[in-house]
Amino acid sequence: MVTIECRLMNYDVGIQVHGLAVPKGFDHDVVSGSAILDMYAKCRKLGESLQFFREMPERNCVSWSAVIAGCVQNEELVGGLELFKEMQQEGVGISQSTYASVLRSCAGLSAVRLGAQFHAHAIKAGFRSDIIVGTATLDMYAKCDYAFQVFRLLMKSGFGFDDISLSGAFSACAMMKGYLAGIQVHGLAIKSIFWTDVCVANAILDMYGKCGALMEAHFLFDEMEIRDAVSWNAIIAAYGQNGYEEATLSLFVWMLRWGMEPDDFTYGSVLKACAGRQALNCGMEVHNRVIKSGMGFDLFVGSAIVDMYCKCAKVEEAEKLHDRMEEQQSMVSWNAMISGFSSAEKSEEAQKFFSRMLEMGVKPDSFTYATVLDTCANLATVGLGKQIHAQIIKHELQSDVFISSTLVDMYSKCGNMQDSRLMFDKSPKRDFVTWNALICGYAQHGLGEEALRVFDEMQVEGRSGQVSHALRFIHEMPFQADDVIWRTLLSICKMHGAVEVAEEAANSLLRLDPHDSSAYILLSNIYADAGMWDQVSKMRRVMKCRGMKKEPGCSWIEVKSNLHMFLVGDKAHPRREQIYENLDLLLAEMKWAGYVPDTDFVLMDEDTEGEHVEELISCTS
């Protein structure tokens, strides 16, 4: 009975069943006791679950596993790890579900080293081939951005792979949105015996969906001989995550016609699609189906329904449903309500709801604070905004780009441009919203010159940021960059004047080919663009010491099946006199039109005289 209430997450009924168990002494039974503490944990009452656990006269591996899993489910990840340590000290045997829970804790904390230790511990305990432990291990590595490297090492070692490691590799590609890497692993899967495995196919579907490759995902889905609920959920989520709400709803109808029963994940994706399209009638139909299925008070589904009604401008209906959920109220539900009031231009109601949330002991997250700060901006209530700002600093959330952007906007709309600029300058990360908030703030206060100055700053930083992003992408590639990639990046640095990235690109290029003169030439030109003439001279001296010269510029053209090649300063071409005569005419016309040759960036040998510079430029034109 307790297990049933646990699955339904019905706290009130669970308490009643607990009350019936006490007079009969079932609460002292280790099996019933484990079910009771599991019930409290799944009903989001972790404190009561831990208290019951401590009072149990007898505890076994099931009890320990349940309470550790409860900590993980309630996002008390460190608490779960501490209980695992205590469990070890008491000498209790470890089950597969316990390993799965602590590995999920490591995934949530991005603690890859600790996770690797648990992985080794599980292997020593004989769980090397266990599916549950293996899946949790790969999930941990994937969420720590490490799974794909592990898979590569596995392939290099010659041990091969199985369906679990293959699924884990696809999950890793999905997490890092590594489309190219995913295609390569897909090729391996096709050549293996696991190609027809439904779990592997589902992992591929999920990978393509998260990488935005909907054509590949749909083609794979159509080709699948066996489709389970996970397959349908993966293809529905793929379209939903990429903003194709109408296709998401069509796939849901198709799923029902195939006789598949939707689960909480299905309803979550479909309700999100209804919210995105503001399709109230469709959302209400899905809500009715949810009620009939008995999932109306499911934490995940209930929060999605509240969000749907808010996005469809039915905040009153959403509030009624939120209040009925009581113990199943999640952070998503609270945020949906506050955001719904804010979107409906009911900022005061949003702030009241925020106060109510704090009174109930619910801890706000970044989205909550950002939404309430937005209401402060709308109402120009700078006092409340400063209080929330203090809470943000206390919880160390100021590094969140979403929050920092909202702070810039809030202070500017409250007429305090000094603090707005201060928040902007202190932002560790800036996106378009951050820049736009400051620019609009200056413009709205009649400070046009400051707004234009910030706009110029944004353009300069944006260009350098793009180059840095390209460098980061190269470092994160699943294979080593070759000389073509580094030379391309070096050329991009020339366009954007990114000196530091250019130096790294040139060094990487020269490690691959120490005699590549193009790396020196490109880097020298970048230094010249930046006015770093000492570095230009240094590049020239290095090239001279190593006996390297700039390869002469070369071009060619085919005329009437004859190939004509031209080199810089070429004196050997049979029609050179006619060529130079026409070139002189072109140069004369260019000068007459006002062209002035730019001699700053011509890489010259030390014995090159100044009067020959223009001649050199004309030969390279």
Side-chain angles (χ1 to χ4, degrees):
M1 184 68 181
V2 175
T3 305
I4 294 171
E5 298 310 323
C6 174
R7 288 175 182 172
L8 294 174
M9 290 192 291
N10 194 323
Y11 176 65
D12 291 334
V13 178
I15 289 177
Q16 294 174 28
V17 174
H18 186 186
L20 291 172
V22 171
K24 299 188 178 187
F26 289 144
D27 58 327
H28 293 289
D29 177 73
V30 68
V31 177
S32 301
S34 299
I36 291 170
L37 69 89
D38 186 46
M39 178 272 295
Y40 281 125
K42 286 182 176 169
C43 290
R44 317 294 290 183
K45 295 293 181 181
L46 182 61
E48 295 176 33
S49 178
L50 289 168
Q51 182 181 348
F52 184 85
F53 175 76
R54 295 301 181 190
E55 293 173 356
M56 288 178 69
E58 182 185 353
R59 295 178 293 207
N60 61 7
C61 64
V62 178
S63 315
W64 282 98
S65 181
V67 76
I68 292 171
C71 287
V72 178
Q73 290 159 5
N74 287 272
E75 298 181 1
E76 288 291 335
L77 306 179
V78 176
L81 295 173
E82 289 174 348
L83 281 168
F84 179 83
K85 183 179 178 181
E86 188 179 335
M87 178 184 179
Q88 285 279 279
Q89 290 171 347
E90 292 198 10
V92 181
I94 307 172
S95 65
Q96 56 183 191
S97 58
T98 312
Y99 278 121
S101 295
V102 293
L103 285 164
R104 289 190 191 100
S105 290
C106 296
L109 296 167
S110 296
V112 67
R113 290 187 178 179
L114 182 59
Q117 291 177 27
F118 283 127
H119 183 195
H121 199 283
I123 291 171
K124 289 180 181 178
F127 290 99
R128 184 188 191 97
S129 303
D130 186 86
I131 294 175
I132 294 174
V133 175
T135 304
T137 303
L138 282 166
D139 180 64
M140 180 273 296
Y141 282 129
K143 288 176 179 172
C144 295
D145 295 331
Y146 195 69
F148 194 72
Q149 290 94 316
V150 172
F151 185 77
R152 287 177 64 193
L153 290 172
L154 185 68
M155 295 300 298
K156 288 179 180 178
S157 67
F159 285 111
F161 53 85
D162 57 11
D163 54 340
I164 297 173
S165 56
L166 200 57
S167 299
F170 284 119
S171 297
C173 295
M175 289 289 293
M176 64 182 186
K177 291 182 170 53
Y179 174 69
L180 294 176
I183 289 176
Q184 295 174 34
V185 182
H186 191 179
L188 287 174
I190 291 172
K191 296 175 183 177
S192 72
I193 61 172
F194 305 110
W195 168 235
T196 56
D197 185 276
V198 68
C199 294
V200 173
N202 290 339
I204 302 172
L205 265 180
D206 180 63
M207 180 272 295
Y208 279 132
K210 286 189 169 70
C211 292
L214 296 181
M215 186 180 295
E216 290 89 337
H218 208 118
F219 179 78
L220 175 64
F221 182 77
D222 290 340
E223 293 293 310
M224 288 176 67
E225 296 178 1
I226 302 172
R227 299 175 190 146
D228 57 11
V230 179
S231 312
W232 284 98
N233 284 342
I235 192 66
I236 288 171
Y239 277 93
Q241 289 162 359
N242 289 279
Y244 292 89
E245 289 94 359
E246 191 170 347
T248 303
L249 298 175
S250 298
L251 283 164
F252 177 65
V253 173
W254 189 17
M255 176 183 182
L256 295 175
R257 288 176 181 171
W258 273 71
M260 298 296 296
E261 192 64 31
D263 59 13
D264 56 343
F265 191 87
T266 320
Y267 284 125
S269 298
V270 174
L271 286 163
K272 186 178 178 182
C274 295
R277 291 191 66 203
Q278 296 184 333
L280 178 61
N281 291 333
C282 184
M284 292 174 70
E285 289 180 20
V286 176
H287 187 187
N288 290 333
R289 183 174 284 276
V290 167
I291 293 170
K292 290 176 183 177
S293 69
M295 281 191 274
F297 290 101
D298 179 87
L299 181 69
F300 179 65
V301 177
S303 301
I305 295 171
V306 170
D307 182 63
M308 182 273 295
Y309 278 121
C310 286
K311 296 269 176 63
C312 293
K314 290 291 181 181
V315 186
E316 293 79 8
E317 292 296 323
E319 187 175 6
K320 290 176 185 176
L321 180 61
H322 175 82
D323 292 340
R324 283 200 299 267
M325 288 171 66
E326 295 181 355
E327 300 300 333
Q328 278 70 47
Q329 292 169 349
S330 69
M331 180 59 68
V332 176
S333 178
W334 284 102
N335 283 345
M337 287 303 310
I338 295 170
S339 177
F341 280 121
S342 178
S343 300
E345 298 182 357
K346 296 181 178 180
S347 297
E348 291 182 356
E349 292 296 322
Q351 291 180 359
K352 288 177 183 177
F353 221 83
F354 176 68
S355 299
R356 181 177 153 194
M357 174 183 175
L358 294 176
E359 288 170 3
M360 294 190 68
V362 181
K363 185 179 178 182
D365 61 7
S366 299
F367 183 85
T368 320
Y369 282 125
T371 307
V372 179
L373 282 171
D374 194 47
T375 66
C376 294
N378 294 335
L379 297 172
T381 52
V382 70
L384 178 59
K386 286 183 176 180
Q387 291 178 33
I388 294 170
H389 187 186
Q391 288 297 312
I392 288 168
I393 295 171
K394 182 180 177 181
H395 293 102
E396 299 180 348
L397 295 172
Q398 64 268 32
S399 60
D400 187 292
V401 67
F402 188 34
I403 283 183
S404 60
S405 301
T406 313
L407 282 168
V408 172
D409 183 62
M410 186 271 293
Y411 279 117
S412 69
K413 286 181 178 175
C414 290
N416 191 340
M417 285 307 302
Q418 185 177 354
D419 284 343
S420 179
R421 179 73 206 208
L422 183 63
M423 289 300 99
F424 178 85
D425 292 337
K426 286 186 174 182
S427 299
K429 295 179 183 178
R430 298 169 187 160
D431 59 7
F432 282 115
V433 179
T434 320
W435 286 96
N436 288 341
L438 187 64
I439 292 169
C440 291
Y442 278 128
Q444 287 166 359
H445 287 82
L447 303 171
E449 290 185 7
E450 286 82 355
L452 291 173
R453 194 177 300 115
V454 174
F455 179 73
D456 290 338
E457 289 176 21
M458 181 179 74
Q459 288 185 307
V460 172
E461 188 168 310
R463 286 194 291 267
S464 62
Q466 290 172 2
V467 177
S468 299
H469 180 74
L471 178 63
R472 187 165 60 252
F473 178 78
I474 290 172
H475 285 316
E476 292 174 355
M477 289 192 308
F479 50 86
Q480 293 294 323
D482 59 11
D483 60 327
V484 176
I485 292 174
W486 287 116
R487 196 175 291 108
T488 303
L489 179 62
L490 199 53
S491 300
I492 294 171
C493 292
K494 172 72 170 67
M495 294 167 58
H496 295 296
V499 177
E500 291 182 5
V501 178
E503 288 174 337
E504 183 172 346
N507 288 333
S508 299
L509 183 56
L510 291 170
R511 278 196 293 269
L512 294 172
D513 184 3
H515 301 288
D516 188 345
S517 62
S518 67
Y520 290 98
I521 301 299
L522 283 167
L523 186 58
S524 177
N525 289 340
I526 291 167
Y527 283 141
D529 283 344
M532 300 169 67
W533 300 110
D534 290 342
Q535 294 296 328
V536 174
S537 300
K538 181 181 177 181
M539 288 292 103
R540 188 170 61 225
R541 287 195 299 271
V542 170
M543 289 183 68
K544 189 172 183 180
C545 290
R546 297 185 180 181
M548 289 186 289
K549 290 187 178 181
K550 182 181 184 299
E551 293 291 331
C554 176
S555 60
W556 55 87
I557 185 173
E558 187 176 343
V559 180
K560 295 182 180 180
S561 301
N562 291 323
L563 186 67
H564 296 267
M565 184 177 292
F566 306 95
L567 294 170
V568 174
D570 190 0
K571 303 292 184 183
H573 197 280
R575 301 179 63 184
R576 63 184 178 280
E577 293 181 4
Q578 186 180 353
I579 291 170
Y580 279 112
E581 183 180 340
N582 285 316
L583 183 59
D584 290 338
L585 287 172
L586 284 171
L587 286 171
E589 289 184 16
M590 288 167 66
K591 287 181 181 178
W592 182 80
Y595 168 73
V596 178
D598 189 353
T599 62
D600 287 344
F601 309 135
V602 178
L603 186 68
M604 299 176 291
D605 294 327
E606 291 184 352
D607 56 353
T608 304
E609 295 186 13
E611 59 264 23
H612 298 303
V613 171
E614 189 172 332
E615 183 182 348
L616 280 169
I617 294 173
S618 69
C619 292
T620 58
S621 300

